[in-house]
Amino acid sequence: AQKVTQAQTEISVVEKEDVTLDCVYETRDTTYYLFWYKQPPSGELVFLIRRNSFDEQNEISGRYSWNFQKSTSSFNFTITASQVVDSAVYFCALSEGAGANNLFFGTGTRLTVIP
Amino acid sequence: EAEVAQSPRYKITEKSQAVAFWCDPISGHATLYWYRQILGQGPELLVQFQDESVVDDSQLPKDRFSAERLKGVDSTLKIQPAELGDSAMYLCASSTHRGVETQYFGPGTRLLVL
């Protein structure tokens, strides 16, 4: 079974619009970590955020914000006032347990911001 | 800012040939990972090193793939012989130590097998 589901394959928005990328995860562990990475056309995965299962506080970093809800097993990512430079593939990932470090990635959401 | 280095960035080869990829992790990072990313999918772990030791290679196709990190610093991933289905992006990542530390990725090597 897929541990991380990103149901949105592709999203297109017009510049300055807000956009939310969905991530639903599945795990039986009580300790786990969630991540978001950005992959621009150059191919490198850029780390955006890490959140552990005991910290449900939402986080804001500039135009980026993350909403972690354990009740729905979701870790959604919102970009406010999108810009063309935000165009990329975004991956949500899960790491289970306190000692393991294998990342299970979703299939990614391709975001296109139209000028 | 320290980065993970990978080379080559692009590689085109014919099936049945041997290919090798190199990765130099961020200085001081004890844990190194190789991932394979097929077009349109998320990366999948091939092998994980802690210093020079392999800690997880359960998803590595050992009949044709090999990986080493002899001195616990840089690493080489080899495919011999390459098959058409090996066409993918090969990503290297590193983190400070085993445990749930953030993994930082290199630019990847795009492999095309003809």
Side-chain angles (χ1 to χ4, degrees):
Chain A
Q2 191 78 350
K3 290 182 181 287
V4 178
T5 301
Q6 294 181 256
Q8 303 153 307
T9 304
E10 296 190 28
I11 299 176
S12 292
V13 298
V14 176
E15 198 171 21
K16 299 184 183 178
E17 288 184 344
D18 299 347
V19 58
T20 295
L21 310 182
D22 298 334
C23 173
V24 174
Y25 62 92
E26 180 180 337
T27 181
R28 295 183 178 182
D29 287 359
T30 55
T31 301
Y32 53 89
Y33 293 77
L34 295 162
F35 300 78
W36 276 95
Y37 284 86
K38 174 183 179 180
Q39 188 174 42
S42 60
E44 181 174 351
L45 280 166
V46 178
F47 166 74
L48 296 178
I49 190 171
R50 167 183 138 166
R51 173 68 70 217
N52 73 59
S53 54
F54 301 107
D55 182 4
E56 286 194 75
Q57 198 167 21
N58 292 330
E59 181 158 338
I60 298 174
S61 176
R63 297 184 296 107
Y64 295 171
S65 63
W66 290 269
N67 182 4
F68 177 27
Q69 292 194 337
K70 291 178 72 172
S71 60
T72 56
S73 296
S74 66
F75 187 43
N76 296 338
F77 173 30
T78 297
I79 302 175
T80 303
S82 60
Q83 300 176 1
V84 173
V85 293
D86 296 328
S87 296
V89 180
Y90 290 86
F91 289 95
C92 180
L94 165 72
S95 180
E96 297 175 303
N101 208 10
N102 185 12
L103 285 176
F104 296 96
F105 285 86
T107 51
T109 297
R110 179 178 299 279
L111 173 66
T112 301
V113 181
I114 303 166
Chain B
E1 184 175 311
E3 297 179 341
V4 176
Q6 287 188 250
S7 67
R9 293 293 307 275
Y10 304 91
K11 180 69 178 179
I12 300 174
T13 190
E14 295 184 344
K15 63 180 182 179
S16 79
Q17 295 299 304
V19 292
F21 314 130
W22 176 80
C23 172
D24 191 13
I26 293 172
S27 179
H29 280 196
T31 312
L32 184 147
Y33 314 80
W34 283 102
Y35 287 84
R36 177 170 59 184
Q37 183 180 18
I38 295 171
L39 189 64
Q41 299 182 20
E44 294 183 332
L45 182 71
L46 289 174
V47 61
Q48 176 182 341
F49 289 91
Q50 178 69 18
D51 299 310
E52 67 275 7
S53 301
V54 173
V55 295
D56 185 356
D57 63 356
S58 57
Q59 300 303 310
L60 189 71
K62 298 181 187 62
D63 57 335
R64 298 184 300 106
F65 285 65
S66 64
E68 60 183 18
R69 193 184 184 199
L70 295 177
K71 297 182 179 180
V73 181
D74 59 336
S75 174
T76 302
L77 178 69
K78 297 179 181 177
I79 308 175
Q80 183 174 17
E83 295 181 353
L84 297 178
D86 296 331
S87 295
M89 171 80 93
Y90 290 83
L91 292 159
C92 180
S94 69
S95 64
T96 53
H97 56 77
R98 195 162 181 233
V100 191
E101 296 294 331
T102 298
Q103 296 180 31
Y104 295 92
F105 286 79
T109 297
R110 294 182 190 270
L111 172 67
L112 177 61
V113 182
L114 302 176

Short mmCIF file of all heavy atoms in Angstrom, two decimals, chain A residues 33 35 37 39-47 50 91 95-108 110, chain B residues 9-10 31 33 35 37 40-45 48 56 89 91 95 97-107 110:
data_model
loop_
_atom_site.label_atom_id
_atom_site.label_comp_id
_atom_site.label_asym_id
_atom_site.label_seq_id
_atom_site.Cartn_x
_atom_site.Cartn_y
_atom_site.Cartn_z
N TYR A 33 8.01 11.08 10.89
CA TYR A 33 8.38 12.41 10.44
C TYR A 33 7.85 12.62 9.03
O TYR A 33 7.85 11.69 8.21
CB TYR A 33 9.91 12.58 10.46
CG TYR A 33 10.49 12.55 11.84
CD1 TYR A 33 10.64 11.34 12.52
CD2 TYR A 33 10.87 13.72 12.49
CE1 TYR A 33 11.16 11.30 13.80
CE2 TYR A 33 11.40 13.69 13.77
CZ TYR A 33 11.53 12.48 14.42
OH TYR A 33 12.03 12.44 15.69
N PHE A 35 7.93 15.24 5.57
CA PHE A 35 8.78 16.20 4.88
C PHE A 35 8.09 16.70 3.61
O PHE A 35 7.25 16.01 3.03
CB PHE A 35 10.10 15.53 4.43
CG PHE A 35 10.94 14.96 5.53
CD1 PHE A 35 10.62 13.74 6.11
CD2 PHE A 35 12.06 15.64 5.98
CE1 PHE A 35 11.40 13.19 7.13
CE2 PHE A 35 12.86 15.10 6.98
CZ PHE A 35 12.53 13.89 7.56
N TYR A 37 9.58 18.34 -0.09
CA TYR A 37 10.71 18.71 -0.94
C TYR A 37 10.18 19.32 -2.23
O TYR A 37 9.11 18.95 -2.72
CB TYR A 37 11.55 17.48 -1.31
CG TYR A 37 12.44 16.95 -0.21
CD1 TYR A 37 11.97 16.04 0.74
CD2 TYR A 37 13.78 17.34 -0.13
CE1 TYR A 37 12.79 15.55 1.73
CE2 TYR A 37 14.62 16.84 0.86
CZ TYR A 37 14.12 15.96 1.79
OH TYR A 37 14.95 15.46 2.77
N GLN A 39 11.22 20.00 -6.27
CA GLN A 39 12.12 19.56 -7.34
C GLN A 39 11.91 20.44 -8.57
O GLN A 39 10.99 20.22 -9.34
CB GLN A 39 11.90 18.08 -7.68
CG GLN A 39 12.96 17.53 -8.64
CD GLN A 39 12.82 16.04 -8.85
OE1 GLN A 39 11.73 15.51 -9.00
NE2 GLN A 39 13.96 15.33 -8.86
N PRO A 40 12.75 21.44 -8.74
CA PRO A 40 12.65 22.29 -9.94
C PRO A 40 13.12 21.51 -11.15
O PRO A 40 13.63 20.39 -11.03
CB PRO A 40 13.58 23.45 -9.60
CG PRO A 40 14.55 22.90 -8.61
CD PRO A 40 13.82 21.84 -7.84
N PRO A 41 12.98 22.08 -12.34
CA PRO A 41 13.39 21.37 -13.57
C PRO A 41 14.84 20.90 -13.57
O PRO A 41 15.18 19.95 -14.25
CB PRO A 41 13.14 22.41 -14.65
CG PRO A 41 12.03 23.25 -14.11
CD PRO A 41 12.29 23.34 -12.63
N SER A 42 15.69 21.55 -12.81
CA SER A 42 17.10 21.14 -12.76
C SER A 42 17.27 19.76 -12.13
O SER A 42 18.29 19.10 -12.34
CB SER A 42 17.91 22.16 -11.96
OG SER A 42 17.41 22.26 -10.64
N GLY A 43 16.28 19.31 -11.37
CA GLY A 43 16.30 17.95 -10.86
C GLY A 43 16.65 17.78 -9.41
O GLY A 43 16.35 16.75 -8.81
N GLU A 44 17.29 18.75 -8.80
CA GLU A 44 17.71 18.61 -7.41
C GLU A 44 16.52 18.72 -6.48
O GLU A 44 15.67 19.57 -6.64
CB GLU A 44 18.73 19.69 -7.08
CG GLU A 44 19.27 19.65 -5.67
CD GLU A 44 20.37 20.66 -5.45
OE1 GLU A 44 20.81 21.27 -6.44
OE2 GLU A 44 20.79 20.83 -4.30
N LEU A 45 16.46 17.87 -5.49
CA LEU A 45 15.40 17.93 -4.48
C LEU A 45 15.82 18.93 -3.41
O LEU A 45 16.84 18.76 -2.75
CB LEU A 45 15.17 16.56 -3.86
CG LEU A 45 14.33 15.59 -4.66
CD1 LEU A 45 14.46 14.19 -4.12
CD2 LEU A 45 12.87 16.01 -4.62
N VAL A 46 15.00 19.93 -3.20
CA VAL A 46 15.29 20.98 -2.23
C VAL A 46 14.41 20.78 -1.01
O VAL A 46 13.18 20.75 -1.12
CB VAL A 46 15.04 22.37 -2.85
CG1 VAL A 46 15.31 23.46 -1.81
CG2 VAL A 46 15.91 22.57 -4.09
N PHE A 47 15.03 20.66 0.14
CA PHE A 47 14.31 20.46 1.40
C PHE A 47 13.53 21.73 1.75
O PHE A 47 14.06 22.84 1.69
CB PHE A 47 15.31 20.12 2.50
CG PHE A 47 14.76 20.21 3.89
CD1 PHE A 47 13.89 19.24 4.36
CD2 PHE A 47 15.11 21.25 4.73
CE1 PHE A 47 13.38 19.32 5.65
CE2 PHE A 47 14.61 21.34 6.00
CZ PHE A 47 13.74 20.37 6.46
N ARG A 50 10.43 19.85 7.71
CA ARG A 50 10.33 18.58 8.40
C ARG A 50 9.45 18.77 9.62
O ARG A 50 9.56 19.77 10.32
CB ARG A 50 11.72 18.12 8.82
CG ARG A 50 11.75 16.98 9.80
CD ARG A 50 13.17 16.70 10.18
NE ARG A 50 13.30 16.45 11.58
CZ ARG A 50 14.37 15.92 12.12
NH1 ARG A 50 15.39 15.60 11.37
NH2 ARG A 50 14.43 15.72 13.41
N PHE A 91 7.19 17.15 -3.58
CA PHE A 91 7.05 15.82 -3.03
C PHE A 91 6.83 15.89 -1.53
O PHE A 91 7.53 16.62 -0.82
CB PHE A 91 8.30 14.98 -3.30
CG PHE A 91 8.47 14.58 -4.73
CD1 PHE A 91 9.25 15.32 -5.60
CD2 PHE A 91 7.83 13.44 -5.21
CE1 PHE A 91 9.40 14.95 -6.92
CE2 PHE A 91 7.98 13.06 -6.54
CZ PHE A 91 8.76 13.82 -7.40
N SER A 95 8.97 9.39 6.99
CA SER A 95 9.98 8.54 7.60
C SER A 95 9.37 7.96 8.87
O SER A 95 8.88 8.72 9.71
CB SER A 95 11.24 9.33 7.92
OG SER A 95 12.22 8.51 8.50
N GLU A 96 9.39 6.63 8.98
CA GLU A 96 8.72 5.98 10.10
C GLU A 96 9.68 5.59 11.20
O GLU A 96 10.82 5.19 10.92
CB GLU A 96 7.99 4.71 9.61
CG GLU A 96 6.89 4.99 8.61
CD GLU A 96 6.29 3.70 8.08
OE1 GLU A 96 7.04 2.89 7.53
OE2 GLU A 96 5.06 3.50 8.23
N GLY A 97 9.22 5.65 12.43
CA GLY A 97 10.02 5.18 13.54
C GLY A 97 11.02 6.21 14.02
O GLY A 97 11.26 7.22 13.37
N ALA A 98 11.62 5.92 15.16
CA ALA A 98 12.54 6.87 15.76
C ALA A 98 13.96 6.70 15.25
O ALA A 98 14.76 7.61 15.32
CB ALA A 98 12.53 6.72 17.28
N GLY A 99 14.27 5.51 14.72
CA GLY A 99 15.65 5.27 14.33
C GLY A 99 15.87 5.15 12.84
O GLY A 99 16.93 5.45 12.33
N ALA A 100 14.84 4.70 12.14
CA ALA A 100 15.01 4.51 10.70
C ALA A 100 15.02 5.85 9.99
O ALA A 100 14.53 6.84 10.51
CB ALA A 100 13.88 3.64 10.16
N ASN A 101 15.58 5.87 8.81
CA ASN A 101 15.65 7.14 8.10
C ASN A 101 15.29 7.01 6.64
O ASN A 101 15.56 7.90 5.86
CB ASN A 101 17.05 7.72 8.22
CG ASN A 101 17.03 9.24 8.14
OD1 ASN A 101 15.98 9.85 8.18
ND2 ASN A 101 18.19 9.82 8.04
N ASN A 102 14.68 5.87 6.26
CA ASN A 102 14.26 5.71 4.88
C ASN A 102 13.08 6.63 4.60
O ASN A 102 12.12 6.64 5.36
CB ASN A 102 13.88 4.25 4.63
CG ASN A 102 13.55 3.99 3.18
OD1 ASN A 102 13.80 4.82 2.32
ND2 ASN A 102 12.97 2.84 2.92
N LEU A 103 13.18 7.39 3.54
CA LEU A 103 12.10 8.28 3.16
C LEU A 103 11.20 7.59 2.14
O LEU A 103 11.68 7.08 1.13
CB LEU A 103 12.65 9.56 2.53
CG LEU A 103 13.27 10.59 3.47
CD1 LEU A 103 13.85 11.74 2.67
CD2 LEU A 103 12.23 11.09 4.46
N PHE A 104 9.91 7.57 2.42
CA PHE A 104 8.92 7.09 1.46
C PHE A 104 8.28 8.32 0.83
O PHE A 104 7.63 9.10 1.51
CB PHE A 104 7.88 6.22 2.14
CG PHE A 104 8.43 4.95 2.72
CD1 PHE A 104 8.77 4.90 4.07
CD2 PHE A 104 8.62 3.83 1.94
CE1 PHE A 104 9.29 3.73 4.62
CE2 PHE A 104 9.14 2.67 2.48
CZ PHE A 104 9.48 2.62 3.82
N PHE A 105 8.47 8.44 -0.47
CA PHE A 105 7.97 9.61 -1.18
C PHE A 105 6.61 9.34 -1.82
O PHE A 105 6.32 8.22 -2.25
CB PHE A 105 8.94 10.01 -2.29
CG PHE A 105 10.18 10.70 -1.81
CD1 PHE A 105 11.27 9.96 -1.40
CD2 PHE A 105 10.25 12.08 -1.77
CE1 PHE A 105 12.43 10.60 -0.97
CE2 PHE A 105 11.40 12.72 -1.34
CZ PHE A 105 12.49 11.98 -0.93
N GLY A 106 5.81 10.40 -1.93
CA GLY A 106 4.63 10.33 -2.77
C GLY A 106 5.04 10.46 -4.23
O GLY A 106 6.23 10.58 -4.55
N THR A 107 4.05 10.46 -5.10
CA THR A 107 4.34 10.53 -6.53
C THR A 107 4.53 11.96 -7.03
O THR A 107 4.84 12.17 -8.19
CB THR A 107 3.23 9.86 -7.34
OG1 THR A 107 1.97 10.40 -6.91
CG2 THR A 107 3.23 8.36 -7.12
N GLY A 108 4.33 12.92 -6.14
CA GLY A 108 4.59 14.31 -6.49
C GLY A 108 3.42 15.02 -7.13
O GLY A 108 2.53 14.41 -7.74
N ARG A 110 2.90 18.28 -9.71
CA ARG A 110 3.55 19.27 -10.59
C ARG A 110 2.75 20.56 -10.55
O ARG A 110 1.58 20.59 -10.95
CB ARG A 110 3.66 18.76 -12.02
CG ARG A 110 4.32 19.76 -12.97
CD ARG A 110 4.46 19.21 -14.38
NE ARG A 110 5.30 18.01 -14.40
CZ ARG A 110 6.62 18.04 -14.41
NH1 ARG A 110 7.27 19.19 -14.43
NH2 ARG A 110 7.30 16.90 -14.44
N ARG B 9 26.37 14.58 -14.59
CA ARG B 9 25.00 15.06 -14.50
C ARG B 9 24.11 14.31 -15.48
O ARG B 9 22.93 14.09 -15.22
CB ARG B 9 24.94 16.56 -14.79
CG ARG B 9 25.61 17.43 -13.75
CD ARG B 9 24.85 17.38 -12.41
NE ARG B 9 23.44 17.67 -12.56
CZ ARG B 9 22.95 18.91 -12.57
NH1 ARG B 9 23.74 19.95 -12.45
NH2 ARG B 9 21.63 19.08 -12.69
N TYR B 10 24.68 13.92 -16.60
CA TYR B 10 23.94 13.19 -17.63
C TYR B 10 24.81 12.06 -18.15
O TYR B 10 26.02 12.21 -18.29
CB TYR B 10 23.55 14.10 -18.80
CG TYR B 10 22.76 15.32 -18.38
CD1 TYR B 10 23.41 16.52 -18.07
CD2 TYR B 10 21.38 15.27 -18.28
CE1 TYR B 10 22.69 17.62 -17.68
CE2 TYR B 10 20.66 16.38 -17.87
CZ TYR B 10 21.33 17.55 -17.58
OH TYR B 10 20.62 18.65 -17.18
N THR B 31 25.93 9.65 6.99
CA THR B 31 24.97 8.79 6.30
C THR B 31 24.80 9.23 4.86
O THR B 31 24.63 10.43 4.59
CB THR B 31 23.61 8.81 7.03
OG1 THR B 31 23.82 8.61 8.42
CG2 THR B 31 22.72 7.68 6.51
N TYR B 33 22.90 8.15 1.02
CA TYR B 33 21.81 7.41 0.40
C TYR B 33 21.89 7.54 -1.12
O TYR B 33 22.22 8.60 -1.64
CB TYR B 33 20.44 7.97 0.82
CG TYR B 33 20.28 8.25 2.29
CD1 TYR B 33 20.81 9.41 2.86
CD2 TYR B 33 19.57 7.38 3.12
CE1 TYR B 33 20.65 9.69 4.20
CE2 TYR B 33 19.40 7.66 4.46
CZ TYR B 33 19.94 8.81 5.00
OH TYR B 33 19.78 9.07 6.32
N TYR B 35 19.20 7.03 -4.27
CA TYR B 35 17.81 6.84 -4.66
C TYR B 35 17.73 6.73 -6.18
O TYR B 35 18.53 7.32 -6.90
CB TYR B 35 16.95 8.03 -4.23
CG TYR B 35 16.66 8.14 -2.75
CD1 TYR B 35 17.56 8.75 -1.88
CD2 TYR B 35 15.46 7.65 -2.22
CE1 TYR B 35 17.29 8.86 -0.54
CE2 TYR B 35 15.18 7.76 -0.87
CZ TYR B 35 16.09 8.36 -0.05
OH TYR B 35 15.82 8.48 1.29
N GLN B 37 14.90 7.54 -9.23
CA GLN B 37 13.63 8.20 -9.49
C GLN B 37 13.27 7.98 -10.96
O GLN B 37 13.88 8.55 -11.86
CB GLN B 37 13.71 9.70 -9.20
CG GLN B 37 12.38 10.42 -9.38
CD GLN B 37 12.47 11.90 -9.09
OE1 GLN B 37 13.54 12.49 -9.06
NE2 GLN B 37 11.32 12.51 -8.87
N GLY B 40 8.18 10.62 -13.51
CA GLY B 40 6.79 10.70 -13.07
C GLY B 40 6.53 10.08 -11.72
O GLY B 40 5.37 10.02 -11.28
N GLN B 41 7.57 9.60 -11.06
CA GLN B 41 7.40 8.97 -9.76
C GLN B 41 8.29 9.65 -8.71
O GLN B 41 9.15 10.47 -9.04
CB GLN B 41 7.75 7.49 -9.84
CG GLN B 41 6.87 6.70 -10.80
CD GLN B 41 7.21 5.23 -10.82
OE1 GLN B 41 7.83 4.71 -9.89
NE2 GLN B 41 6.78 4.54 -11.86
N GLY B 42 8.06 9.29 -7.46
CA GLY B 42 8.93 9.78 -6.40
C GLY B 42 10.17 8.93 -6.28
O GLY B 42 10.21 7.79 -6.75
N PRO B 43 11.22 9.46 -5.68
CA PRO B 43 12.45 8.68 -5.49
C PRO B 43 12.21 7.46 -4.62
O PRO B 43 11.39 7.48 -3.70
CB PRO B 43 13.39 9.67 -4.78
CG PRO B 43 12.82 11.02 -5.08
CD PRO B 43 11.34 10.83 -5.16
N GLU B 44 12.98 6.41 -4.89
CA GLU B 44 12.92 5.19 -4.08
C GLU B 44 14.34 4.82 -3.66
O GLU B 44 15.26 4.85 -4.48
CB GLU B 44 12.28 4.05 -4.87
CG GLU B 44 10.82 4.27 -5.19
CD GLU B 44 10.20 3.08 -5.90
OE1 GLU B 44 10.94 2.35 -6.59
OE2 GLU B 44 8.99 2.87 -5.77
N LEU B 45 14.48 4.47 -2.40
CA LEU B 45 15.80 4.16 -1.86
C LEU B 45 16.38 2.91 -2.48
O LEU B 45 15.72 1.87 -2.57
CB LEU B 45 15.72 3.98 -0.35
CG LEU B 45 17.04 3.71 0.36
CD1 LEU B 45 17.91 4.96 0.37
CD2 LEU B 45 16.80 3.23 1.80
N GLN B 48 21.61 2.52 1.55
CA GLN B 48 21.95 3.49 2.58
C GLN B 48 23.23 3.05 3.26
O GLN B 48 23.38 1.89 3.63
CB GLN B 48 20.81 3.57 3.60
CG GLN B 48 21.09 4.49 4.78
CD GLN B 48 19.96 4.50 5.79
OE1 GLN B 48 18.83 4.13 5.49
NE2 GLN B 48 20.26 4.93 7.00
N ASP B 56 21.27 -0.61 4.66
CA ASP B 56 20.04 -1.04 3.99
C ASP B 56 20.28 -1.09 2.49
O ASP B 56 20.53 -0.05 1.87
CB ASP B 56 18.88 -0.07 4.31
CG ASP B 56 17.55 -0.53 3.74
OD1 ASP B 56 17.51 -1.56 3.02
OD2 ASP B 56 16.52 0.13 4.01
N MET B 89 16.54 8.92 -13.05
CA MET B 89 17.40 9.86 -12.35
C MET B 89 17.94 9.14 -11.12
O MET B 89 17.17 8.53 -10.37
CB MET B 89 16.61 11.09 -11.93
CG MET B 89 17.36 12.04 -11.01
SD MET B 89 18.49 13.09 -11.92
CE MET B 89 17.40 14.50 -12.17
N LEU B 91 19.70 9.78 -7.63
CA LEU B 91 19.91 10.87 -6.68
C LEU B 91 20.72 10.37 -5.49
O LEU B 91 20.46 9.28 -4.97
CB LEU B 91 18.57 11.40 -6.18
CG LEU B 91 17.71 12.13 -7.22
CD1 LEU B 91 16.26 12.15 -6.77
CD2 LEU B 91 18.22 13.54 -7.42
N SER B 95 23.00 12.85 5.22
CA SER B 95 22.51 13.43 6.47
C SER B 95 23.58 13.25 7.53
O SER B 95 24.53 12.48 7.36
CB SER B 95 21.19 12.79 6.90
OG SER B 95 21.37 11.43 7.19
N HIS B 97 23.75 11.94 10.65
CA HIS B 97 23.97 10.61 11.23
C HIS B 97 22.67 9.85 11.14
O HIS B 97 21.63 10.40 10.82
CB HIS B 97 24.44 10.70 12.68
CG HIS B 97 23.52 11.48 13.57
ND1 HIS B 97 22.34 10.99 14.05
CD2 HIS B 97 23.62 12.73 14.06
CE1 HIS B 97 21.75 11.90 14.79
NE2 HIS B 97 22.50 12.96 14.83
N ARG B 98 22.75 8.57 11.36
CA ARG B 98 21.55 7.73 11.25
C ARG B 98 20.56 8.14 12.31
O ARG B 98 20.90 8.56 13.38
CB ARG B 98 21.92 6.26 11.40
CG ARG B 98 20.80 5.36 10.93
CD ARG B 98 21.27 3.97 10.66
NE ARG B 98 20.16 3.16 10.19
CZ ARG B 98 19.81 2.00 10.74
NH1 ARG B 98 20.49 1.54 11.77
NH2 ARG B 98 18.81 1.32 10.27
N GLY B 99 19.33 7.99 11.99
CA GLY B 99 18.30 8.56 12.85
C GLY B 99 17.56 9.53 11.97
O GLY B 99 17.92 9.71 10.81
N VAL B 100 16.54 10.13 12.46
CA VAL B 100 15.74 10.92 11.54
C VAL B 100 16.31 12.32 11.41
O VAL B 100 15.85 13.25 12.05
CB VAL B 100 14.27 10.96 11.97
CG1 VAL B 100 13.44 11.55 10.87
CG2 VAL B 100 13.79 9.56 12.29
N GLU B 101 17.31 12.42 10.59
CA GLU B 101 17.88 13.70 10.26
C GLU B 101 17.48 14.05 8.84
O GLU B 101 17.27 13.19 8.00
CB GLU B 101 19.41 13.66 10.37
CG GLU B 101 19.91 13.40 11.79
CD GLU B 101 19.58 14.55 12.73
OE1 GLU B 101 19.50 15.70 12.24
OE2 GLU B 101 19.39 14.30 13.93
N THR B 102 17.40 15.31 8.56
CA THR B 102 17.00 15.75 7.23
C THR B 102 18.03 15.31 6.21
O THR B 102 19.24 15.45 6.43
CB THR B 102 16.84 17.27 7.21
OG1 THR B 102 15.80 17.63 8.11
CG2 THR B 102 16.49 17.77 5.81
N GLN B 103 17.55 14.78 5.10
CA GLN B 103 18.42 14.38 4.01
C GLN B 103 18.52 15.53 3.00
O GLN B 103 17.51 16.11 2.61
CB GLN B 103 17.86 13.14 3.31
CG GLN B 103 17.81 11.93 4.21
CD GLN B 103 17.26 10.71 3.53
OE1 GLN B 103 17.42 10.54 2.32
NE2 GLN B 103 16.64 9.82 4.29
N TYR B 104 19.75 15.81 2.60
CA TYR B 104 20.00 16.85 1.61
C TYR B 104 20.48 16.18 0.33
O TYR B 104 21.37 15.34 0.36
CB TYR B 104 21.04 17.84 2.13
CG TYR B 104 20.54 18.60 3.33
CD1 TYR B 104 20.77 18.14 4.63
CD2 TYR B 104 19.75 19.74 3.17
CE1 TYR B 104 20.27 18.81 5.73
CE2 TYR B 104 19.25 20.43 4.27
CZ TYR B 104 19.51 19.95 5.54
OH TYR B 104 19.00 20.61 6.62
N PHE B 105 19.86 16.58 -0.78
CA PHE B 105 20.06 15.88 -2.04
C PHE B 105 21.01 16.62 -2.98
O PHE B 105 21.09 17.86 -2.98
CB PHE B 105 18.73 15.70 -2.77
CG PHE B 105 17.86 14.64 -2.15
CD1 PHE B 105 17.12 14.88 -1.02
CD2 PHE B 105 17.79 13.37 -2.73
CE1 PHE B 105 16.33 13.88 -0.44
CE2 PHE B 105 17.00 12.37 -2.17
CZ PHE B 105 16.28 12.63 -1.03
N GLY B 106 21.70 15.84 -3.78
CA GLY B 106 22.51 16.37 -4.85
C GLY B 106 21.68 16.62 -6.10
O GLY B 106 20.47 16.35 -6.10
N PRO B 107 22.32 17.09 -7.18
CA PRO B 107 21.59 17.44 -8.40
C PRO B 107 21.16 16.23 -9.22
O PRO B 107 20.34 16.36 -10.12
CB PRO B 107 22.60 18.28 -9.19
CG PRO B 107 23.92 17.80 -8.71
CD PRO B 107 23.73 17.45 -7.26
N ARG B 110 21.14 11.94 -14.58
CA ARG B 110 20.10 11.43 -15.48
C ARG B 110 20.70 10.38 -16.39
O ARG B 110 21.60 10.69 -17.17
CB ARG B 110 19.48 12.54 -16.31
CG ARG B 110 18.69 13.56 -15.51
CD ARG B 110 18.07 14.59 -16.43
NE ARG B 110 17.49 15.72 -15.71
CZ ARG B 110 16.24 15.77 -15.28
NH1 ARG B 110 15.43 14.76 -15.52
NH2 ARG B 110 15.81 16.83 -14.64
#
